[in-house]
């Protein structure tokens, strides 16, 4: 029997579909708690010009201990991010009590670019083309077209893995 299962969520923080997928992520978190390790993976799309900066900001938030809360807060404001750009990323950091100055510096010095690039390269290598895309136990589930049935499939795989069958 395995202690925990990894669910990679390939996400783009300027993507409205990723925002709607948060309901599933929250439900999975509520159901499995620590037994499901939900990892935020970055897949910024070129059509969203602030997505790459948002991914870097999310990495800074993770370093400051609030990766998921930050990602969720930014996703709740995808339209505003599209209009106002990086100012929104700093606003969200402040609202969550994070060090906004450090965010600003991180975006300027690019200290998280390698992580974002590596995620994107890995995503491309395994066939991620849009967001959200989930990967659990080597199975890729593409949520960019429809979220329908994905949570049930993730639960089915997680239950099987956790039962050790």
């Amino acid at each position: 029997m395995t202690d925990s299962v990894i669910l990679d969520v390939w996400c783009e923080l300027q993507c409205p579909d990723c925002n709607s997928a948060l309901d599933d992520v929250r439900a999975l978190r509520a159901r499995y708690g620590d037994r499901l390790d939900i990892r935020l993976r970055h897949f910024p799309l070129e059509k969203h010009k602030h997505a790459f900066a948002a991914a870097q900001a999310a990495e800074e938030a993770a370093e400051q201990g609030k990766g998921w809360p930050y990602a969720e807060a930014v996703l709740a404001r995808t339209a505003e991010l599209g209009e106002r750009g990086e100012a929104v990323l700093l606003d969200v950091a402040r609202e969550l009590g994070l060090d906004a100055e450090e965010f600003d510096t991180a975006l300027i010095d690019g200290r998280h670019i390698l992580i974002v690039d590596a995620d994107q390269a890995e995503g491309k290598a395994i066939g991620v083309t849009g967001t959200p895309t989930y990967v659990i136990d080597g199975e890729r589930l593409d949520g960019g077209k429809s979220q329908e049935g994905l949570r049930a499939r993730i639960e089915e795989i997680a239950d099987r893995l956790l039962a050790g069958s």
Side-chain angles (χ1 to χ4, degrees), residues 103-131:
F103 270 77
D104 202 26
T105 307
L107 289 172
I108 292 165
D109 71 20
R111 68 184 73 157
H112 302 296
I113 286 178
L114 287 176
I115 295 172
V116 178
D117 281 347
D119 272 5
Q120 201 165 26
E122 186 184 331
K124 283 180 179 157
I126 62 168
V128 175
T129 54
T131 56

Side-chain angles (χ1 to χ4, degrees), residues 14 48-55 80-86 89:
Q14 203 179 332
H48 292 137
K49 65 177 183 213
H50 304 295
F52 195 78
E80 190 186 349
L81 179 59
E83 288 157 25
R84 291 183 52 229
E86 293 182 15
L89 302 175

Side-chain angles (χ1 to χ4, degrees), residues 3-73:
D3 291 340
S4 74
V5 174
I6 292 173
L7 172 66
D8 281 334
V9 182
W10 298 87
C11 182
E12 201 246 53
L13 296 183
Q14 203 179 332
C15 167
D17 289 339
C18 288
N19 186 38
S20 17
L22 284 178
D23 288 341
D24 284 339
V25 170
R26 289 184 189 112
L28 289 165
R29 199 179 280 139
R31 176 170 175 175
Y32 294 103
D34 292 343
R35 296 177 310 145
L36 187 66
D37 180 10
I38 303 175
R39 299 193 307 192
L40 177 65
R41 305 297 300 274
H42 303 291
F43 202 77
L45 302 166
E46 280 178 23
K47 66 181 177 184
H48 292 137
K49 65 177 183 213
H50 304 295
F52 195 78
Q56 293 176 68
E59 282 302 313
E60 180 58 35
E63 210 160 271
Q64 293 189 30
K66 290 195 174 166
W68 270 108
Y70 184 84
E72 292 185 20

Side-chain angles (χ1 to χ4, degrees), residues 141-152:
L141 304 164
D142 180 4
K145 293 170 186 68
S146 164
Q147 298 288 318
E148 200 60 45
L150 289 187
R151 187 165 94 207

